[in-house]
């Protein structure tokens, strides 16, 4: 997010979980992109699946649509303004004041929607990637074609379920598909690293 979009992290949810077994509530991460005297607000979704078949996409769509309810967005805004992260961002004081005013609970969410971006990161197990040793042009072409088809399928599903979201078209969505050869190996390696560092405490 920082390197590609210039986004500044505001609420890394992993640090605000109530217990170690808990999932992050609402957006998985919250970022702000400063653009001169204005800003955009990024509510990130992140998923890790063993495939991106239609059934999996349905689950992502449901999660994203649910996150866009007025109540959910107001709760996210309340979290942003209640923690100190926003005050620590390297932005102008005037812009920080403008952001806090826009996120005020008394402000209409509709006014904020043109500033909202939803990046949707989906890591997924991929047989093509698993069977590839080199980053060849043929491999890249196959993955690009596959991801374009899956992205189109995703957006069609999301649009079909967006009828209840007022000013849905004002919100900007970004789908980021990331193929990996094996979900199990990555999860196992992550668990081992976490266990190691927990043992150091």
């Amino acid at each position: 997010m920082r390197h590609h979009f210039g986004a500044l992290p505001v609420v890394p949810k992993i640090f605000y979980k109530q217990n170690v077994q808990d999932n992050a509530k609402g957006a998985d991460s919250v970022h702000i992109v400063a653009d001169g005297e204005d800003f955009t607000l990024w509510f990130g979704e992140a998923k890790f699946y063993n495939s991106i078949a239609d059934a999996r996409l349905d689950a992502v769509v449901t999660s994203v649509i649910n996150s866009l309810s007025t109540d959910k967005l107001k709760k996210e805004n309340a979290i942003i303004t209640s923690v100190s992260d926003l005050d620590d961002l390297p932005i102008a004081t005037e812009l920080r004041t403008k952001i806090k005013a826009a996120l005020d609970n008394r402000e209409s969410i509709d006014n904020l929607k043109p500033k909202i971006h939803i990046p949707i990161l989906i890591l997924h197990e991929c047989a093509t990637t698993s069977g590839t040793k080199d980053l060849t042009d043929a491999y890249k072409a196959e993955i690009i074609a596959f991801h374009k088809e899956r992205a189109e399928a995703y957006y069609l599903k999301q649009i079909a379920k967006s009828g209840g979201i007022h000013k849905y078209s004002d919100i900007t969505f970004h789908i980021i598909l990331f193929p990996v050869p094996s979900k199990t190996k990555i999860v196992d390696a992550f668990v081992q690293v976490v266990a190691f560092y927990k043992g150091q405490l």
Side-chain angles (χ1 to χ4, degrees):
M1 289 292 294
R2 180 188 293 272
H3 294 295
H4 192 77
F5 297 110
L8 302 171
V10 182
V11 184
K13 291 296 183 69
I14 193 169
F15 295 115
Y16 295 101
K17 295 199 304 178
Q18 294 179 349
N19 64 70
V20 294
Q21 301 298 327
D22 198 15
N23 291 320
K25 299 299 191 297
D28 295 317
S29 65
V30 180
H31 291 73
I32 285 176
V33 174
D35 183 14
E37 297 180 354
D38 206 355
F39 72 97
T40 50
L41 190 59
W42 296 62
F43 294 120
E45 287 275 334
K47 308 294 181 186
F48 196 175
Y49 291 138
N50 54 16
S51 81
I52 47 175
D54 281 355
R56 289 298 193 183
L57 296 183
D58 287 337
V60 181
V61 168
T62 298
S63 178
V64 170
I65 292 297
N66 288 344
S67 74
L68 295 176
S69 71
T70 297
D71 286 346
K72 292 285 180 63
L73 291 174
K74 281 188 174 291
K75 285 179 181 177
E76 293 289 354
N77 292 349
I79 292 172
I80 296 170
T81 55
S82 66
V83 298
S84 62
D85 302 58
L86 183 57
D87 293 324
D88 296 332
L89 293 183
I91 58 176
T93 301
E94 294 80 5
L95 180 56
R96 183 178 293 107
T97 300
K98 182 177 181 178
I99 293 170
K100 289 183 177 181
L103 301 183
D104 189 285
N105 193 52
R106 293 166 294 185
E107 288 293 318
S108 171
I109 287 294
D110 289 346
N111 296 333
L112 193 62
K113 285 184 177 178
K115 297 181 182 297
I116 293 177
H117 288 245
I118 310 293
I120 307 155
L121 171 63
I122 306 176
L123 286 86
H124 67 95
E125 193 169 278
C126 174
T128 301
T129 301
S130 179
T132 300
K133 300 297 183 183
D134 299 305
L135 189 63
T136 63
D137 289 341
Y139 165 75
K140 288 188 284 186
E142 184 174 349
I143 289 296
I144 288 170
F146 175 55
H147 279 177
K148 282 184 176 180
E149 185 275 325
R150 289 289 76 200
E152 289 174 2
Y154 173 83
Y155 281 122
L156 287 173
K157 289 175 177 291
Q158 182 171 286
I159 291 168
K161 290 189 175 182
S162 66
I165 305 298
H166 185 53
K167 291 197 171 184
Y168 168 84
S169 60
D170 285 354
I171 302 170
T172 302
F173 299 89
H174 311 259
I175 187 165
I176 306 162
L177 301 175
F178 195 106
V180 299
S182 171
K183 177 182 177 181
T184 300
K185 289 182 179 179
I186 292 174
V187 171
D188 288 348
F190 176 77
V191 170
Q192 289 176 11
V193 170
V194 171
F196 172 79
Y197 282 108
K198 285 181 68 176
Q200 307 304 306
L201 299 178

